[in-house]
Amino acid sequence: MEKTEKKHRFGLLGRDISYSFSKGYFTEFFKKEGLQHCSYENFDLRDITDLETLLKEEENLRGLNVTIPYKQDILPFLHRIDPEAKAIGAVNTIKFTKTGLEGYNTDAYGFQESIKPLLQGANHTHALILGTGGASLAIAYSLEKLGIAYVKVSRNPKEDQRSYHDLRKEDMEKYTLIVNCTPLGTFPKVEEKPLIPYSYLGSEHVLYDLVYNPEKTAFLKAGEGQGATICNGSSMLKFQADKSWEIWQK
């Protein structure tokens, strides 16, 4: 019984997350740091309402990461939301406290730290954000902080958004940073990619994909074939994971 009480449990909240990066990353981190009392698990929920049952049944939880599709759905369950996460409108990190669940967003930090080395000042002042889900909120927030103007692209565009079918040569020449926030291309459907006019890409473009499995998505391959600089989401995940751990340890 004493051993169970000392256990510090962390995990990932999402749907269809068996492929997840986080469990392997934190398990290796705990092993390397000699944190035998810590564990990291996947909590695969069919619906966000299952969270209430999870919280009642699972003991010794100290923190959770949150992924697709619950980064916005989680908000009503939180006792407190960090100001930056509130500004973004999405949470990907939960800290368990005596007063309740606290929500944070480390995606923005992870994206900023991983994209900075790829940016070339005046060459990258305008960006396309592909997708409008919870992940896109952190990217939009980050781009604003970096002083980069952006437009969101959607299959069903709302006001101030663009349709994939509307993108022309002049758009692709203007928006030299393109960030994929959709799940298109994720294993096992690796042949899928956002429907942008790839033929207008060139060496001045940076293509960034939040997807990290496979390591080089169809989106990134298409950009690389046109001479663009490419980057997947693995470095962003490492930055955001480390930031999550920092929050949990406060």
Side-chain angles (χ1 to χ4, degrees), residues 45 56 133 176 210 242 247:
L45 303 186
K56 288 177 184 176
T176 51
L210 269 60
D242 293 343
I247 290 168

Side-chain angles (χ1 to χ4, degrees), residues 28 39 54-55 70 78 82 93 108 117 146-147 153 157 168 183 188 207 211 216 222 232 236 240:
E28 183 61 31
S39 67
L54 173 74
L55 296 176
Y70 299 133
L78 304 176
D82 178 73
T93 301
L146 292 168
V153 184
R168 301 289 182 262
L207 268 60
V211 175
K216 192 179 292 186
N232 68 20
M236 172 180 167
Q240 67 94 345

Side-chain angles (χ1 to χ4, degrees), residues 26 34 37 46 49 89 91 103 110 124 135 143 158 162 165 171 232:
F26 275 107
H37 63 292
R46 290 293 90 198
T49 55
V91 159
H124 299 119
L143 292 175
K158 297 177 182 177
R162 300 286 296 275
H165 302 295
D171 297 313
N232 68 20

Side-chain angles (χ1 to χ4, degrees), residues 129-133 152-166 182 184 195:
I129 299 177
L130 310 183
T132 56
K152 289 190 177 183
V153 184
S154 173
R155 289 175 298 175
N156 302 295
K158 297 177 182 177
E159 190 177 352
D160 298 327
Q161 296 177 357
R162 300 286 296 275
S163 164
Y164 287 95
H165 302 295
D166 292 340
T182 78
L184 291 174
L195 298 176

Side-chain angles (χ1 to χ4, degrees), residues 5 17 67 127 129 138 154 162 167 213 221 224 228 244 250:
E5 289 175 348
I17 52 175
T67 189
I129 299 177
S154 173
R162 300 286 296 275
L167 296 175
N213 184 12
K221 285 179 180 177
E224 186 179 49
S244 294
K250 286 179 180 177

Side-chain angles (χ1 to χ4, degrees), residues 125-145:
T125 57
H126 293 78
L128 292 178
I129 299 177
L130 310 183
T132 56
S136 73
L137 298 176
I139 302 308
Y141 178 86
S142 299
L143 292 175
E144 287 176 10
K145 288 192 73 174

Side-chain angles (χ1 to χ4, degrees), residues 85-102:
K86 189 174 288 186
I88 292 169
V91 159
N92 80 315
T93 301
I94 297 172
K95 181 179 181 178
F96 285 65
T97 73
K98 291 179 180 179
T99 54
L101 303 179
E102 293 184 353

Side-chain angles (χ1 to χ4, degrees), residues 16 33 42 60 90 94-95 98 130 140 159 198 225 228 241 243:
D16 301 326
E33 297 296 320
N42 284 343
N60 305 314
I94 297 172
K95 181 179 181 178
K98 291 179 180 179
L130 310 183
E159 190 177 352
Y198 293 93
K243 194 70 172 178

